[in-house]
Amino acid sequence: MGRATMQEPQPDASKVPELTLLFWVIKIAATTLGETGGDAVSMSMNFGYLAATGIFAAIFLAAVAAQIAARRFHPLLYWTTIIATTTVGTTLADFADRSLGIGYAGGATLLFVLLIASLAVWHRTLGSVAVDTVNSPAAEMFYWVTIMFSQTLGTALGDWVADTGGLGYMGGAAVFSTLLGLVVAAYYLTSVSRITLFWAAFILTRPLGAVVGDFLDKPISAGGMAFSRYTASSLLLLFIIACLALFRQRAATAMH
């Protein structure tokens, strides 16, 4: 019998989930929860945008630290971090747009520039912005900073289209759903980079969640369904937990 040969060490697996339909369903639910949960703390609890941003920023930093320290992909930890990015993104965007007076257009433009800059620096530093390469502390830092900017940008875009654009919550949801549909069509019908399409879809799910969240908790007179922010947030959180309990998620595989 020949002597067994030692296998070459394998590179660390990605620490983010594979991009299945389940991923996108939970992502939209998480971004909607970010809107209702962020508003619950900043408005319903009367903490204000700045204090609420500080609270959620602390949770976000703790979650990212735990995510980076983990040795492998953990669905519950990953989605906790995603929810933390979307709640702090909600209150931060509201603080910039409303308290600082930058406005939706100014806030969205600034955040778009920051997002593109984050992706550019990430790509220049590590050579790829694909999710299957998120397997080192450096890549994870870039990943979560980029997601933070995308979540904050999405809040500003959602409010801009629904409020300033005059489309209302359902109109805003229709706009962002249509744009997501175009991304899906491009995925199946064109050879556009899957990495580019991923980030386009990831960004667009945030304003969709923002307008859906506003639709759930705003008064009927304002075009909403008048759920309390606590009720809407609780239902969304239970839905996410049920998805994680019932369906298995695996780490992401290579994108092209």
Side-chain angles (χ1 to χ4, degrees):
M1 181 181 296
R3 187 166 41 177
T5 58
M6 183 178 295
Q7 292 185 340
E8 291 294 324
Q10 297 298 314
D12 294 336
S14 175
K15 288 166 63 179
V16 300
E18 62 180 345
L19 304 178
T20 62
L21 177 61
L22 177 64
F23 172 89
W24 295 110
V25 169
I26 299 177
K27 171 62 166 60
I28 294 172
T31 57
T32 307
L33 173 58
E35 186 71 18
T36 59
D39 287 348
V41 173
S42 64
M43 298 180 188
S44 298
M45 295 182 183
N46 296 316
F47 277 89
Y49 299 127
L50 183 59
T53 298
I55 292 170
F56 289 126
I59 296 172
F60 166 66
L61 292 173
V64 169
Q67 174 77 12
I68 293 175
R71 298 181 62 87
R72 60 184 178 84
F73 168 61
H74 296 279
L76 183 59
L77 176 57
Y78 175 83
W79 287 108
T80 297
T81 312
I82 286 289
I83 293 170
T85 66
T86 192
T87 48
V88 71
T90 294
T91 55
L92 180 58
D94 287 342
F95 176 71
D97 296 339
R98 300 169 186 175
S99 298
L100 295 182
I102 296 176
Y104 298 133
T109 301
L110 173 62
L111 289 162
F112 181 75
V113 170
L114 291 172
L115 174 62
I116 296 302
S118 178
L119 287 168
V121 173
W122 179 3
H123 190 277
R124 182 176 180 84
T125 303
L126 299 181
S128 175
V129 295
V131 295
D132 62 291
T133 64
V134 182
N135 54 13
S136 68
E140 286 192 88
M141 286 299 297
F142 279 118
Y143 179 80
W144 290 111
V145 168
T146 301
I147 284 181
M148 173 67 181
F149 286 143
S150 76
Q151 305 283 44
T152 310
L153 169 62
T155 300
L157 282 176
D159 289 342
W160 189 9
V161 170
D163 296 338
T164 306
L167 295 179
Y169 306 125
M170 294 306 294
V175 167
F176 293 117
S177 295
T178 299
L179 291 174
L180 277 171
L182 293 176
V183 172
V184 173
Y187 179 87
Y188 287 106
L189 301 177
T190 75
S191 59
V192 174
S193 164
R194 288 346 188 203
I195 298 172
T196 300
L197 292 176
F198 164 76
W199 284 108
F202 197 96
I203 293 166
L204 287 170
T205 54
R206 179 62 188 101
L208 175 60
V211 293
V212 171
D214 283 337
F215 171 70
L216 291 175
D217 65 27
K218 291 297 186 287
I220 294 176
S221 60
M225 293 187 66
F227 282 101
S228 78
R229 295 184 178 108
Y230 304 120
T231 299
S233 299
S234 298
L235 292 173
L236 288 162
L237 182 59
L238 288 174
F239 174 77
I240 293 170
I241 292 172
C243 286
L244 295 178
L246 294 173
F247 303 101
R248 180 184 176 188
Q249 281 191 306
R250 297 179 296 183
T253 55
M255 300 173 67
H256 302 286

